[in-house]
């Protein structure tokens, strides 16, 4: 049984958004076209309370995109993004939800960031996604969406550590920087995650 995991295809991560991924909107046709090929489709949504501690605006004197230590973890300081109920937190209106069985929201703890669809960044709290997939009989997880070097990467990494067979659909994902995309791919490959193209699924 296979699951397609659609990561954070939200307006704030798309061109014109608060934390836009270059050409992020280009993957929309693939995200929609891939869905019928899977037994289960699940989406995620970054869903931060206002004043989230991952926002640079909550740490006066620190620059955007700088890194600090917070809650015993390294924390990149982002622009305010995906604030609960805001327009930017919404999924792209063109994303087909007909086959999306569930949407898992993450980053809801105001004190702790959550890149992964499975856990917060400190692995202190699970989202419930792993148990949800097991209850559906899922053994293979295919990951696509935004951003390749952050939420796609950490979601694929945690899916693998949770015992699923994992593949990243490379051309149905976009990332922030070439260097961190390459580093994320190398780490995932070392852990047994496969990288595939959409054309390999759409056969």
């Amino acid at each position: 049984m296979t699951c397609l995991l659609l990561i954070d295809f939200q307006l704030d991560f798309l061109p014109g958004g608060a934390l836009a991924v270059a050409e992020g909107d280009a993957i929309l046709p693939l995200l929609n076209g891939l869905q019928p090929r899977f037994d289960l489709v699940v989406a995620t949504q970054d869903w931060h309370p206002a004043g989230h501690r991952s926002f640079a605006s909550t740490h006066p004197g620190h620059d955007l995109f700088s890194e600090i230590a917070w809650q015993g973890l390294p924390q990149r300081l982002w622009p305010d993004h995906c604030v609960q109920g805001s327009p930017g937190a919404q999924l792209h209106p063109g994303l087909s939800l007909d086959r999306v069985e569930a949407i898992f929201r993450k980053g809801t703890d105001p004190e702790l960031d959550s890149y992964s669809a499975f856990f917060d960044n400190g692995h202190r709290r699970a989202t419930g996604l792993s148990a949800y997939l097991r209850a559906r009989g899922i053994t293979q997880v295919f990951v696509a969406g935004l951003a390749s070097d952050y939420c796609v990467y950490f979601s694929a990494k945690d899916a693998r550590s949770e015992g699923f067979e994992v593949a990243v659909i490379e051309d149905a994902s976009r990332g922030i920087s070439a260097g961190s995309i390459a580093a994320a791919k190398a780490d995932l490959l070392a852990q047994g995650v496969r990288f595939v193209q959409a054309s390999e699924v759409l056969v």
Side-chain angles (χ1 to χ4, degrees):
M1 293 282 284
T2 60
C3 173
L4 175 62
L5 188 54
L6 303 173
I7 302 294
D8 296 358
F9 200 67
Q10 295 166 262
L11 295 179
D12 266 346
F13 294 131
L14 296 166
L19 188 52
V21 178
E23 300 182 354
D25 52 349
I27 64 176
L28 178 61
L30 290 178
L31 297 185
N32 286 338
L34 285 162
Q35 293 184 40
R37 303 292 180 165
F38 292 87
D39 300 306
L40 176 70
V41 183
V42 172
T44 67
Q45 197 172 16
D46 225 21
W47 197 248
H48 295 308
H52 195 270
R53 300 301 285 186
S54 69
F55 298 165
S57 61
T58 65
H59 299 274
H62 291 276
D63 294 331
L64 275 174
F65 306 113
S66 62
E67 188 174 283
I68 65 168
W70 184 257
Q71 296 281 324
L73 300 166
Q75 175 64 59
R76 182 81 58 199
L77 297 182
W78 305 107
D80 290 26
H81 66 280
C82 297
V83 174
Q84 295 173 3
S86 69
Q90 302 310 307
L91 295 169
H92 188 294
L95 181 66
S96 174
L97 299 179
D98 292 347
R99 298 200 70 254
V100 174
E101 186 172 307
I103 298 171
F104 279 77
R105 287 173 168 170
K106 58 191 182 65
T108 58
D109 183 336
E111 295 294 320
L112 198 58
D113 215 351
S114 184
Y115 298 148
S116 169
F118 293 87
F119 297 97
D120 63 54
N121 287 3
H123 276 226
R124 297 167 190 173
R125 185 183 303 170
T127 64
L129 178 56
S130 186
Y132 183 87
L133 297 180
R134 288 196 182 98
R136 296 297 188 280
I138 297 299
T139 57
Q140 295 179 293
V141 175
F142 289 72
V143 188
L146 305 172
S148 304
D149 37 353
Y150 282 91
C151 297
V152 168
Y153 163 58
F154 283 98
S155 296
K157 186 173 184 174
D158 282 346
R160 188 74 190 102
S161 70
E162 287 291 287
F164 297 100
E165 295 179 43
V166 183
V168 172
I169 308 177
E170 198 165 18
D171 56 341
S173 306
R174 289 290 186 277
I176 294 175
S177 77
S180 57
I181 291 168
K185 182 175 182 177
D187 186 41
L188 291 176
L189 287 170
Q191 295 178 58
V193 173
R194 294 188 299 126
F195 280 75
V196 299
Q197 302 301 308
S199 58
E200 298 173 58
V201 180
L202 295 168
V203 291

